[in-house]
């Protein structure tokens, strides 16, 4: 697939773009040849400069060009698409044609109520009110330009708290399916001369006049030279922040795992704040329910160990403890939101899965796709797999409190014997933890989302400290912060869908 040519049709002669050049970055000669010369880009005054060519930036550029605007897209990466090539591509909307065709009753009001319930009311309610009314139109448009969801979709859930109606959907090709359909109308506008784009170009700061109105972007090109790119409007669609130092500064939590898109370095946040904007949402930081990391570095990379902690697919035979050796959660709680929030309160967002040899022999594999021989090998290979002939020895190697662990195992075993967990109400209590050697797997809660983001109006205008719009400056996508769209609970589809919807809104309305 990577070596094939993909044809993107235009009005006249077909335009052929090498997928390796646009998505893989294995060579940029053809892509660079399609772009305007940097000097030309700097010599014009554009109607709109879109900083970031991903989930929000592509629809923003498409719809602005369709309104007659001359658009320049600037992206620091080596290709367009942002995080769509690695995204699961999960979206959600109420009142879509797809729902109607399947007889699914839903409404924007019901979608809003579900968002408020799952987010614990912590989203930007005014912005979400706009979103739920606009979402179906954008999802329908994706269908019109070729997007096709998986059979049986929409569904109620797919990882986090379920909706009360079937409105959640994605393609078997995940985010690449959305990227593919967005690139076609985007390059139609490129062919028609309405859109130009610069890759490997880093937007550094916004240009403002004496009244504070935004007039363009100062950027550094692929050749290292700085240039002023002038425009009537600017849309920040740069994504979130994967820079470890900046991430911790924003959220007060280390970026333990390096999972996010490496080109999302928080530039849009810096530019927005530099122009007078205000950040919000960091207080809604959440952690995913843990993974095995490769080493002790912060951030580290995932070790590629697919530990299954989802009770829906594998009931836990093990117990979970924090650094003090104490249980902190009902291990078989059906709500991932409840488990994640329990982990959020633990020291360094970290826990250990504890089990013995009898459980290892009898239980379904804790790691997807691994047999017992592979599990046994992992205890010699990975830093965060530990075992010992006693609980004290296990605690020493794992780095947890020995007395706390011994007390917790004793109390847990008593619960198994009685068939009742008085501490957390766990229901699945198959075996005690009593036969050495004892095992522990360290799980690290981490996150790839930026919860801090720019404050915007319902019209996507970036607001200053007084709550007034900064003239000519708009924002959409993760630069708004996950806190604004998913609140204090991960809401299915409420990261990618708002990016698509709000990007479209900016392009469609700014020049209407």
């Amino acid at each position: 697939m990577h070596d094939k040519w993909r044809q993107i049709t235009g009005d006249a002669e077909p335009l052929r773009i090498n997928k390796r050049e646009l998505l893989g970055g294995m060579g940029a000669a053809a892509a660079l040849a399609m772009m305007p010369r940097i000097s030309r880009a700097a010599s014009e005054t554009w109607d709109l400069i879109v900083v970031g060519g991903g989930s929000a930036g592509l629809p923003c550029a498409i719809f602005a060009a369709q309104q007659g605007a001359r658009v320049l897209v600037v992206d620091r990466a080596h290709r367009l698409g942002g995080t769509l090539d690695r995204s699961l591509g999960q979206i959600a909307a109420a009142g879509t044609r797809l729902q109607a065709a399947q007889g699914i009753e839903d409404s924007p009001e019901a979608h809003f109520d579900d968002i408020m319930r799952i987010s614990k009311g912590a989203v930007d309610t005014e912005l979400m009110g706009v979103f739920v009314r606009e979402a179906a139109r954008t999802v329908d448009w994706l269908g019109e330009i070729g997007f096709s969801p998986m059979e049986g979709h929409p569904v109620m859930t797919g990882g986090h708290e379920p909706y009360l109606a079937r409105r959640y959907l994605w393609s078997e090709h995940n985010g690449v399916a959305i990227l593919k359909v967005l690139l076609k109308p985007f390059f139609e506008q490129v062919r028609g001369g309405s859109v130009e784009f610069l890759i490997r170009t880093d937007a550094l700061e916004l240009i403002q006049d004496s009244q504070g109105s935004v007039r363009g972007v100062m950027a550094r090109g692929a050749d290292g030279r700085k240039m002023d790119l002038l425009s009537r409007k600017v849309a920040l669609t740069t994504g979130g922040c994967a820079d470890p130092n900046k991430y911790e500064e924003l959220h007060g939590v280390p970026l333990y795992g390096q999972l996010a898109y490496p080109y999302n370095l928080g530039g849009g946040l810096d530019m927005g704040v530099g122009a007078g904007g205000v950040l919000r949402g960091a207080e809604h930081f959440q952690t995913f329910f843990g993974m095995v990391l490769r080493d002790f570095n912060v951030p580290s990379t995932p070790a590629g160990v697919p530990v299954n902690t989802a009770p829906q697919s594998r009931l836990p035979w093990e117990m979970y403890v924090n650094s003090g050796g104490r249980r902190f959660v009902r291990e078989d709680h059906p709500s991932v939101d409840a488990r994640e929030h329990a982990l959020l309160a633990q020291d360094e967002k970290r826990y250990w899965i504890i089990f013995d040899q009898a459980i290892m022999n009898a239980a379904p594999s804790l790691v997807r796709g691994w047999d017992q021989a592979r599990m046994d090998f992992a205890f010699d290979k990975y830093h965060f797999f530990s075992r010992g002939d006693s609980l004290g020895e296990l605690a020493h190697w794992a780095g947890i409190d020995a007395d706390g662990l011994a007390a917790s195992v004793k109390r847990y075993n008593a619960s198994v014997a009685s068939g009742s967990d008085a501490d957390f109400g766990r229901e699945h209590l198959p075996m005690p933890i009593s036969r050495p050697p004892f095992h522990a797997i360290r799980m690290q809660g981490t996150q790839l989302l930026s919860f801090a983001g720019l404050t915007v109006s319902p019209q996507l205008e970036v607001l200053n400290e007084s709550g007034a719009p900064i003239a000519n400056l708009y924002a959409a996508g993760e630069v708004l912060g996950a806190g604004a769209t998913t609140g204090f609970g991960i809401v299915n589809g409420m990261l990618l869908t708002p990016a698509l919807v709000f990007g479209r809104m900016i392009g469609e309305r700014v020049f209407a």
Side-chain angles (χ1 to χ4, degrees):
M1 180 68 178
H2 287 285
D3 295 322
K4 293 181 179 178
W5 289 92
R6 183 184 47 184
Q7 178 173 309
I8 300 175
T9 57
D11 319 327
E13 183 180 357
L15 174 67
R16 296 181 184 274
I17 301 165
N18 188 297
K19 188 176 193 293
R20 182 170 289 172
E21 288 161 358
L22 282 175
L23 301 183
M26 298 300 291
L32 287 169
M34 291 168 53
M35 297 192 309
R37 294 178 60 85
I38 290 177
S39 58
R40 178 182 168 191
S43 68
E44 293 194 26
T45 296
W46 304 87
D47 293 316
L48 175 67
I49 292 178
V50 180
V51 185
S55 307
L58 289 174
C60 183
I62 291 165
F63 281 92
Q66 289 178 356
Q67 304 304 310
R70 286 272 294 139
V71 182
L72 174 66
V73 177
V74 177
D75 200 299
R76 65 158 34 114
H78 54 281
R79 49 77 166 150
L80 298 171
T83 60
L84 281 168
D85 68 329
R86 63 192 64 203
S87 167
L88 293 176
Q90 296 168 323
I91 54 178
T96 64
R97 293 173 192 160
L98 183 63
Q99 287 177 310
Q102 298 183 34
I104 299 169
E105 293 187 9
D106 199 7
S107 68
E109 292 76 20
H111 193 180
F112 181 84
D113 289 344
D114 262 357
I115 292 169
M116 293 298 292
R117 172 178 60 85
I118 298 168
S119 74
K120 302 170 181 60
V123 294
D124 180 327
T125 55
E126 197 171 11
L127 193 61
M128 290 303 95
V130 172
F131 165 77
V132 296
R133 293 190 295 271
E134 291 287 332
R137 198 163 62 94
T138 295
V139 171
D140 289 345
W141 170 69
L142 289 176
E144 292 168 6
I145 62 175
F147 174 76
S148 179
M150 289 179 67
E151 186 175 353
H153 282 214
V155 294
M156 287 187 179
T157 190
H160 275 82
E161 300 305 289
Y163 282 124
L164 300 181
R166 291 172 51 205
R167 67 174 70 98
Y168 192 36
L169 56 99
W170 59 93
S171 164
E172 61 179 331
H173 299 298
N174 299 324
V176 171
I178 294 177
L179 176 57
K180 182 177 180 179
V181 299
L182 289 178
L183 285 177
K184 181 177 177 179
F186 179 84
F187 279 106
E188 286 174 351
Q189 296 298 332
V190 172
R191 284 180 57 83
S194 297
V195 173
E196 303 279 19
F197 66 95
L198 295 172
I199 59 174
R200 293 193 174 95
T201 301
D202 195 3
L204 301 175
E205 61 182 276
L206 295 166
I207 300 169
Q208 294 174 278
D209 63 19
S210 58
Q211 282 75 46
S213 299
V214 172
R215 299 298 183 189
V217 176
M218 192 266 279
R220 181 171 51 234
D223 60 358
R225 290 184 296 178
K226 293 182 180 180
M227 55 188 160
D228 288 342
L229 303 171
L230 302 181
S231 63
R232 296 176 178 85
K233 311 280 185 181
V234 172
L236 298 176
T237 58
T238 54
C241 176
D243 175 82
N245 294 328
K246 190 175 297 180
Y247 192 94
E248 184 169 3
E249 180 182 327
L250 288 170
H251 299 95
V253 179
L255 189 65
Y256 289 107
Q258 189 62 273
L259 309 173
Y261 187 52
Y263 291 101
N264 285 356
L265 298 177
L269 301 177
D270 289 341
M271 285 188 284
V273 170
V278 178
L279 298 181
R280 60 170 175 182
E283 67 277 12
H284 300 319
F285 172 85
Q286 300 161 70
T287 180
F288 294 142
F289 196 60
M291 62 178 59
V292 180
L293 297 179
R294 190 167 299 278
D295 52 42
F296 291 90
N297 293 320
V298 177
S300 181
T301 54
V305 181
V307 176
N308 187 356
T309 58
Q312 291 81 358
S313 59
R314 181 194 179 276
L315 285 169
W317 290 53
E318 307 78 13
M319 61 179 278
Y320 303 163
V321 302
N322 60 21
S323 60
R326 297 180 298 274
R327 288 179 67 209
F328 64 94
V329 68
R330 174 187 160 189
E331 293 90 344
D332 63 353
H333 200 300
S335 168
V336 65
D337 183 77
R339 286 180 276 121
E340 288 174 345
H341 278 79
L343 178 58
L344 192 63
Q346 307 312 308
D347 185 38
E348 297 185 294
K349 317 296 180 281
R350 189 175 296 157
Y351 69 102
W352 285 256
I353 300 176
I354 306 296
F355 55 102
D356 68 357
Q357 190 62 45
I359 290 174
M360 187 168 176
N361 293 342
S365 179
L366 177 60
V367 181
R368 293 182 180 92
W370 287 19
D371 60 16
Q372 188 165 328
R374 182 70 182 84
M375 278 287 289
D376 189 66
F377 173 75
F379 282 92
D380 294 320
K381 175 179 175 62
Y382 292 107
H383 288 288
F384 301 134
F385 278 57
S386 306
R387 61 184 161 193
D389 290 331
S390 68
L391 289 173
E393 183 182 353
L394 178 69
H396 171 78
W397 291 118
I400 56 184
D401 182 78
D403 291 340
L405 178 62
S408 294
V409 169
K410 181 179 179 180
R411 188 168 178 84
Y412 174 80
N413 289 345
S415 296
V416 173
S418 68
S420 176
D421 177 14
D423 295 325
F424 294 96
R426 173 170 168 164
E427 297 177 358
H428 187 247
L429 296 161
M431 296 178 69
I433 298 171
S434 58
R435 178 182 163 189
F438 299 98
H439 301 75
I441 300 175
R442 191 180 103 170
M443 302 289 287
Q444 178 63 58
T446 190
Q447 186 55 267
L448 56 79
L449 305 172
S450 298
F451 288 84
L454 294 171
T455 307
V456 296
S457 73
Q459 292 75 42
L460 288 313
E461 305 158 302
V462 177
L463 303 179
N464 63 22
E465 290 184 354
S466 301
I470 299 171
N472 307 325
L473 183 62
Y474 301 81
E478 196 180 336
V479 75
L480 301 186
T485 61
T486 197
F488 200 45
I490 302 298
V491 186
N492 288 325
M494 289 306 296
L495 299 167
L496 175 56
T497 326
L500 296 163
V501 170
F502 293 152
R504 173 183 179 159
M505 280 178 56
I506 294 171
E508 194 173 50
R509 300 183 180 188
V510 165
F511 298 101

